[in-house]
Amino acid sequence: MSGRSRRPWARAAPPPGSRWSSDPSRRRRQPWPPRGRRLSSSLSVRTLAAQVFLLQALIMLVLVAVAASALVVQGRYDAERNARDRSLAAAESFAHAPGTALALRSPDPTARLQAAAEQARKGSGVDFVTVLNAHGVRLTDPDPALIGTKAQGVGRAAEGETFTETFHGRPTDAVRAVVPVMDASRRVVGMITAGIEYANVGDVLNQQLPTLLGAAAGALVLATSGAALISRRLLRQTHGLGPAEMTQMYEHHDAVLHAVREGVLIVGGDGRILLANDEASRLLDLPDDADQRHVRELGLGPALTRLLEAGEAVSDEIIPAGDRLLAVNIRPTAPYGGGQGLVATFRDTTDLRALTGQAELARGRLSFLYEAGMRIGTTLDVRRTAEELTEVAVPRLADIVTVEILDSVLRGEEPSSAVHEMRRTALRASQPGHPLQPVGDVIRFVMADTPMVAALRRGRAVLVPDLAAARDWRAQDPEGARRALEHGIHSLITVPLRARGVVLGMVNFWRGADAPPFDEEDVAVTEELVARAAVAIDNARRYSREHAMAMTLQRNLLPLGLPDQDALEIASRYLPAQSGVGGDWFDVIPLPGFRVALVVGDIVGHGLQAAVTMGRLRTAVLNFSSLDLAPDELLGHLDEMVTRLDSQTATADDDREPLTGATCLYAIYDPVGGRCTFSRAGHLAPAVADPQGRVTFPDLPLSPPLGVGGHPFEAGELDLPEGSRLVLFTDGLVEDRGRDIDEGLETLSVTIARADPAPEETCRALVETMLPEHPVDDVALLVARTRRLDPSCAASWEVPFDVTAVPRVRNEVSRKLAEWHLEESAFTTELILSELLTNAIRYGAPPICVRLLLGRTLVCEVSDGSNTSPRLRHAATTDEGGRGLFLVSQFADIWGTRYAARGKVIWAEQKLDRTAAPDASAMFDVLDL
C-alpha cells in the first residue's frame, strides 16, 4: 500500500489504543500502560512479526515458483505459436508463388520444384518445405528418401482448407502448416507443407531456462529481504498494537477500497481529495498527485465539480466525464468525528447508454414496421396499396418514394416475365417540385448495371449511398440524373417488389440534401417494409382477378336483357356488395298465353361460389318454368333439387358450400284477368302499389327456405288493377347494419309511394334512397307495372262434350278471326282447333272450353277436365289415327300443355306474319299420305 493511501486514514481515524490523540492539532503523549501489559504486548508483536515474516517468505516462494512455471509454459506456447506462424508464412509464400501451380501440372514437378523448395526452406528458417500432389504424395522433401511417400493428415488441405497443427507421426513430430495450391478454376492441384521439428521448437526455451531460473531465485531473495525489512518496520511502527487492533484498522481500509466495484472518491470538508481508488482514478482520469488537491484543480468538468462542491446527496445522476457517461452517487459524511466531507461513487454507464440507444432505435423501427403493417393493405386495390406504401415511408424513412408495378399485375393478371418495363403507380415526396417522372409513365430499365437492374437480378435490395458516384445510374438517363442531383437527391435504396418468388414491381427510396445517406440498417428496414407491401399487393392482385372472374361469371349468369312482352312494363337493378359479388338474382320469363313469370332469389354467402350457385338455381328455374308449372309446384321441384344437390355435396370430398338456406319468390302474372299468383320460399313478400300510389305488403303464404324440406309450398293470388306496380327485392335493399328490416320496409313503402309510377324511375328512387354508395350486401330489384289484355282481343266458347259441336265452334272462331282481320290465318287456326277439340272430346273429360287470345301472336287454347297428358307420336301409313297432335306441331309455331287445378289446357301459338294458308299437297306430304 502506498503512503498516499495510508496518510489520510492515520489522521482521520486512529485506532483505539493508539498513543496519539484523535485530534491532530493536540498531539501529546498519553500515559503508557503498565509494564507487564507492555511486555506482553511486545511479545505478541514479536510473535506476530515472526509469523508475518514466515508467511510472507512462504508466499513469495509459491509466487516465484508459479511465476517461473508460467514463464516456462508461456515460453513453450510462444515458441509453438512462433513456429506455426513461420511455417504458415513459408507454406503460403511457396503455394502462392508464381509458377507453383503450373509446375505441379508439369510432367516432372519434382525436378522443377525440389531446388525451389530447398531454397525456400533455407530462406524462411524452417526445417522442411515439402510439395505434395493433390493426393498427398510427396513430390519434394529435404530428405530425398521420402519423395514418393504419402503424407499423413493432409485431407483437409486436399479439400481446399489451409491449417496449422502440431503433428505427431512419421517421419518426425513437428509444428507444421499445410496450404492447398489451386489453379485458376479454384481446383486443388497440390499442397505445400512447411514446418519446424518439435525437438527444435524447445531449443530456444532450453537456452533461456537458466536465465529464468536465476531470475526467479533473485526475485525470491529480494522478496525475502523485503519481507524482513517490512517486519522490522512493522515492529517499529505498531508501538505494541496487538493483532485485534491491526485487524480492525485494516478492515476499515478494505471496506472502502475493496468491498465496492465502483470508483470511490473521498473529499474532505475543504474540497480536497482525501482518497481515490484505482477505479475512480481511471474513470475520472485523475493525475498521480491528486491527493490533497482541490476538486476544482482536477479538470473534472463543470457538472461533476459542482456536485462535489455542493456536498448534497445525489442518486444515480448521469454526468459526462470525457468520453464516458458516469452514474454518480454522493453521500455527505463526517468521518469519525472530523470535519464535514463526502463519499462519491462512480459507475461507468457508457456501454449501457449505447445499448439503450440501440434498443430505442430498434424499438422505433419495430414500431414503424408495425404501423406499416396496419396501414398498408387496408383495401384490396393494387394502386391504393402502392400509395399506402409511399404514405408510410415518407418522410419517416425517405424524402421521395416511387413504386413501379408491372402492367399485368395492375390488370390483375399473373406477373409477366418482362420485368424491365414497369409503370409508375405511386409517388410521394416530402417537398413539391421533385424532378422524377410522374405517376402513369412507363419506366424502362435498359442499362445492364444500374441499381434497379442489379436489384432485379439479385432479388434483394441494392444500396447506393452516393448517387453522384453511380456512373451506371447516370448513364441510363443523363438528363434526368442531372436534374435529380441538382434537386439534392443523393442517396438511393432500390428494392424489388417480390411475392411468392415472383417480381411484381420495384420500390425506390430516395433521400435529399438535408437527410443523411442511407446505410445498411436502412436497407434491412426497407426490405422488411417492401416485403409486407408485396404480400398486400399480391393479395390485391389476386382478389382483383378473382373479383373480375366472379363479376364476369355473374354478369353472364344474370339476364343480359329483359325479354319483349306486353303484359308488364319492367325495370331492374342489380348492385353487387362492397366486398364482391353475391348470390342475389332475378329473372323475367315469358310464358304461354301472354303470361309472365317474375323471379327473385337470394343465395347465402358471397363470392364466386355464391355466383355459381345462383347460376345453377336460375338455370333450374328456367327449366322448370318451361314445363309451365304453377308457382308452388315449381318451388317444390326446386326444393327437391336443392336437397339432392346438398346431399351430394355432403358426401363429396370438396369445399363447396351447401345450397340450403337460399330463398326464392316466384310469381306468374296473367294479363287476361290481371291475376298474379305468388309462392315464396323464405323470401320477403313483394311490395304492391295500386294505381293511386298506396303501398301494401300482401300477406302471402310463407314456406321455409329451399333445401329445408318437409313442408309443402303454398301459393297466394292477387288481383292487380292495370297500372299497379309490383316491387320484388332481396333483403339487401331493406336491411343493413344500421337499420333493421322493419325500418327498411317502412322507408321502402314511403319511397315507392313518392316515386314516379314509371318502373325505371321507381328503381332509381329506391336505389338512391335505400342504399349507401357501397352496400354491404348485394341487391336484386325488379319493378313491374301491370297491363291488361284488351277484352276485345280475347274470346272464349263453352263446347258441349259432343263431336258434332266441333263444326259450329270452328265457324264461330272463323268469324272472330275475320273481325280481327286475320283471314289469312283462318285455315291453319281451324285445322289446329279441330284437332285439339277432337282430342279433347275423344280422350278428355268435360267441361271443354275454347279460348282465342290476340296479342303479338295468336294463341288458341282448348281446356278439358282430364289430367291425362297428350302424347305426340308419328303414325304409320296404315294407321287410321294418331296424326292430330302431329298436325298441330307442324302448323303451329309452338304448342304445349299446362295443368290447372282441375284438368289441363292444350295451347298452340301462331305468329301473325303468315300470309298464306298451308298448301294441301304439302300437308299430305307431312302426313306421309
Side-chain angles (χ1 to χ4, degrees):
M1 185 188 307
S2 66
R4 180 181 65 181
S5 300
R6 199 163 50 242
R7 286 194 303 272
W9 288 105
R11 292 195 304 270
S18 171
R19 296 173 57 201
W20 304 97
S21 169
S22 60
D23 187 352
S25 63
R26 297 172 53 203
R27 291 189 180 181
R28 59 186 181 86
R29 289 188 173 273
Q30 302 294 328
W32 281 93
R35 182 177 181 83
R37 179 180 176 186
R38 183 172 56 189
L39 179 61
S40 175
S41 177
S42 177
L43 291 176
S44 298
V45 172
R46 292 178 183 275
T47 303
L48 174 62
Q51 292 175 352
V52 170
F53 173 73
L54 292 176
L55 181 59
Q56 287 179 341
L58 180 61
I59 291 174
M60 290 302 110
L61 178 62
V62 172
L63 288 178
V64 169
V66 170
S69 301
L71 288 174
V72 171
V73 172
Q74 183 65 34
R76 173 70 64 177
Y77 174 79
D78 290 340
E80 285 192 14
R81 185 173 62 180
N82 184 48
R84 286 174 184 262
D85 294 341
R86 290 168 58 194
S87 301
L88 180 61
E92 284 189 336
S93 298
F94 196 87
H96 299 154
T100 301
L102 189 61
L104 282 169
R105 300 178 63 179
S106 66
D108 188 3
T110 301
R112 296 186 61 178
L113 294 174
Q114 175 69 20
E118 281 299 300
Q119 184 179 359
R121 179 185 68 81
K122 295 175 181 179
S124 59
V126 298
D127 292 336
F128 62 90
V129 174
T130 304
V131 180
L132 313 177
N133 65 9
H135 302 289
V137 176
R138 293 182 177 87
L139 300 178
T140 71
D141 194 272
D143 184 3
L146 295 177
I147 296 176
T149 61
K150 189 170 184 178
Q152 301 177 7
V154 296
R156 288 188 292 168
E159 295 176 359
E161 179 183 355
T162 298
F163 65 94
T164 61
E165 64 177 1
T166 301
F167 174 77
H168 297 282
R170 299 184 62 187
T172 181
D173 296 344
V175 175
R176 72 175 183 179
V178 186
V179 179
V181 180
M182 298 184 182
D183 60 10
S185 62
R186 305 298 297 171
R187 184 168 57 88
V188 176
V189 297
M191 294 167 278
I192 306 299
T193 63
I196 299 174
E197 295 181 0
Y198 200 81
N200 297 331
V201 172
D203 288 343
V204 176
L205 180 63
N206 294 335
Q207 296 173 4
Q208 296 176 352
L209 189 59
T211 304
L212 293 176
L213 295 178
L220 180 60
V221 171
L222 290 176
T224 305
S225 302
L229 293 175
I230 292 173
S231 298
R232 293 184 61 186
R233 186 177 181 84
L234 179 64
L235 288 174
R236 288 196 304 270
Q237 291 185 349
T238 55
H239 300 290
L241 293 177
E245 291 84 357
M246 295 290 294
T247 301
Q248 183 179 14
M249 182 179 69
Y250 282 102
E251 281 178 351
H252 286 290
H253 190 189
D254 291 341
V256 176
L257 290 182
H258 306 294
V260 294
R261 300 179 182 178
E262 298 140 336
V264 178
L265 191 68
I266 300 178
V267 182
D270 57 355
R272 296 183 179 277
I273 300 298
L274 299 180
L275 175 67
N277 68 352
D278 293 341
E279 184 68 8
S281 299
R282 184 185 70 83
L283 293 177
L284 300 178
D285 196 18
L286 296 177
D288 294 337
D289 58 347
D291 282 352
Q292 299 300 318
R293 294 182 62 180
H294 200 278
V295 294
R296 289 193 298 267
E297 302 173 4
L298 301 178
L300 301 179
L304 182 56
T305 301
R306 184 171 60 254
L307 288 178
L308 295 176
E309 287 185 330
E312 298 177 354
V314 173
S315 296
D316 288 332
E317 183 164 343
I318 304 301
I319 298 295
D323 57 351
R324 298 186 179 92
L325 291 175
L326 302 181
V328 180
N329 290 275
I330 297 178
R331 293 294 181 269
T333 180
Y336 304 101
Q340 180 68 28
L342 58 88
V343 176
T345 61
F346 308 91
R347 186 173 65 254
D348 190 352
T349 62
T350 306
D351 294 340
L352 179 60
R353 177 58 62 92
L355 291 175
T356 303
Q358 294 177 0
E360 288 292 334
L361 182 60
R363 183 161 51 248
R365 286 174 174 167
L366 287 176
S367 176
F368 170 71
L369 292 175
Y370 174 78
E371 179 184 347
M374 298 296 293
R375 294 177 57 185
I376 297 176
T378 58
T379 64
L380 292 173
D381 181 81
V382 174
R383 289 179 171 81
R384 179 55 192 154
T385 304
E387 293 172 356
E388 290 171 343
L389 170 60
T390 63
E391 292 171 0
V392 168
V394 177
R396 295 178 61 179
L397 185 59
D399 295 320
I400 305 175
V401 175
T402 61
V403 181
E404 290 82 45
I405 297 179
L406 296 173
D407 281 336
S408 57
V409 175
L410 293 175
R411 293 192 299 268
E413 303 170 0
E414 287 293 331
S416 64
S417 58
V419 297
H420 294 285
E421 182 173 304
M422 303 179 185
R423 189 169 301 277
R424 179 149 291 169
T425 308
L427 186 152
R428 190 175 185 85
S430 58
Q431 299 293 333
H434 62 82
L436 303 183
Q437 292 175 254
V439 172
D441 278 12
V442 175
I443 309 299
R444 296 179 176 87
F445 310 117
V446 296
M447 299 296 293
D449 296 326
T450 59
M452 292 74 173
V453 175
L456 291 173
R457 184 174 59 253
R458 301 174 189 173
R460 55 187 177 86
V462 171
L463 168 64
V464 184
D466 186 6
L467 286 173
R471 291 181 295 177
D472 296 325
W473 172 75
R474 289 187 286 117
Q476 176 172 331
D477 182 10
E479 182 61 25
R482 182 187 61 79
R483 292 196 302 268
L485 294 174
E486 290 178 353
H487 185 72
I489 297 175
H490 59 77
S491 187
L492 164 69
I493 295 178
T494 179
V495 188
L497 198 63
R498 294 167 55 90
R500 299 180 293 112
V502 180
V503 174
L504 306 178
M506 174 75 63
V507 183
N508 296 310
F509 300 85
W510 313 80
R511 278 187 179 173
D514 296 335
F518 287 113
D519 55 25
E520 292 297 335
E521 293 184 353
D522 295 320
V523 172
V525 175
T526 56
E527 285 185 327
E528 178 67 22
L529 178 64
V530 172
R532 299 188 181 194
V535 173
I537 288 176
D538 189 53
N539 289 339
R541 176 196 64 80
R542 298 173 66 181
Y543 169 79
S544 298
R545 183 185 62 180
E546 294 177 3
H547 183 265
M549 293 172 57
M551 290 293 292
T552 302
L553 174 64
Q554 189 174 44
R555 282 196 299 268
N556 292 328
L557 293 177
L558 286 173
L560 300 180
L562 298 178
D564 292 333
Q565 44 79 37
D566 296 327
L568 296 169
E569 181 185 355
I570 301 176
S572 63
R573 293 287 190 279
Y574 174 78
L575 287 86
Q578 181 180 8
S579 59
V581 298
D584 290 10
W585 57 285
F586 66 90
D587 214 339
V588 178
I589 307 171
L591 298 176
F594 307 138
R595 295 168 303 133
V596 178
L598 302 177
V599 192
V600 172
D602 189 357
I603 306 299
V604 178
H606 296 86
L608 190 61
Q609 183 66 34
V612 172
T613 303
M614 177 270 290
R616 300 170 73 182
L617 289 187
R618 179 171 179 258
T619 302
V621 171
L622 287 171
N623 291 334
F624 289 142
S625 65
S626 66
L627 302 176
D628 208 352
L629 300 176
D632 54 337
E633 294 182 31
L634 185 142
L635 290 185
H637 287 293
L638 194 63
D639 180 70
E640 292 177 3
M641 186 202 76
V642 169
T643 303
R644 184 167 57 254
L645 291 176
D646 277 350
S647 64
Q648 296 173 358
T649 303
T651 57
D653 186 15
D654 58 25
D655 56 354
R656 289 181 294 178
E657 296 180 357
L659 305 181
T660 301
T663 66
C664 184
L665 171 63
Y666 188 85
I668 297 178
Y669 174 70
D670 188 349
V672 177
R675 175 160 294 186
C676 190
T677 305
F678 300 86
S679 185
R680 55 189 182 126
H683 203 85
L684 294 172
V688 178
D690 61 16
Q692 289 73 37
R694 294 186 295 268
V695 180
T696 60
F697 295 93
D699 185 14
L700 299 173
L702 177 62
S703 300
L706 299 174
V708 175
H711 298 274
F713 289 87
E714 301 180 48
E717 294 184 346
L718 293 176
D719 290 325
L720 302 177
E722 185 172 9
S724 299
R725 282 175 291 167
L726 192 61
V727 181
L728 286 71
F729 53 90
T730 56
D731 57 358
L733 183 67
V734 295
E735 186 177 17
D736 60 22
R737 297 172 183 172
R739 177 180 62 195
D740 60 26
I741 191 168
D742 292 333
E743 183 182 353
L745 291 174
E746 180 64 27
T747 306
L748 176 73
S749 176
V750 173
T751 304
I752 295 174
R754 294 177 179 176
D756 188 278
E760 188 65 33
E761 293 300 319
T762 303
C763 278
R764 183 187 58 79
L766 288 174
V767 170
E768 292 178 354
T769 305
M770 303 293 296
L771 297 178
E773 183 178 358
H774 300 289
V776 296
D777 193 9
D778 53 338
V779 176
L781 174 63
L782 200 60
V783 179
R785 184 163 61 174
T786 61
R787 296 170 180 163
R788 289 285 187 95
L789 186 66
D790 191 339
S792 63
C793 294
S796 61
W797 295 268
E798 295 289 339
V799 181
F801 197 71
D802 187 358
V803 176
T804 59
V806 174
R808 178 181 59 80
V809 175
R810 188 169 58 238
N811 292 333
E812 292 180 1
V813 168
S814 296
R815 285 194 294 271
K816 178 56 71 175
L817 292 175
E819 291 179 11
W820 290 342
H821 305 290
L822 297 176
E823 292 84 355
E824 299 85 355
S825 303
F827 179 79
T828 304
T829 304
E830 290 177 10
L831 179 61
I832 293 172
L833 178 62
S834 297
E835 295 299 333
L836 294 180
L837 274 176
T838 302
N839 279 338
I841 293 172
R842 180 177 296 179
Y843 304 110
I848 297 176
C849 181
V850 174
R851 186 170 72 163
L852 284 182
L853 301 176
L854 177 61
R856 293 173 179 260
T857 59
L858 179 63
V859 178
C860 178
E861 298 179 349
V862 176
S863 62
D864 67 84
S866 173
N867 289 325
T868 303
S869 175
R871 183 170 61 89
L872 177 66
R873 66 188 182 92
H874 189 82
T877 306
T878 58
D879 290 344
E880 296 183 359
R883 297 180 179 87
L885 290 179
F886 185 77
L887 286 172
V888 172
S889 67
Q890 293 298 316
F891 294 105
D893 292 295
I894 186 172
W895 73 282
T897 303
R898 70 173 179 271
Y899 294 92
R902 294 181 59 187
K904 65 179 179 296
V905 177
I906 303 177
W907 53 269
E909 186 174 330
Q910 305 172 69
K911 295 180 180 179
L912 299 179
D913 56 357
R914 290 190 178 182
T915 58
D919 182 55
S921 61
M923 183 171 60
F924 283 116
D925 292 338
V926 169
L927 295 175
D928 197 16
L929 296 176

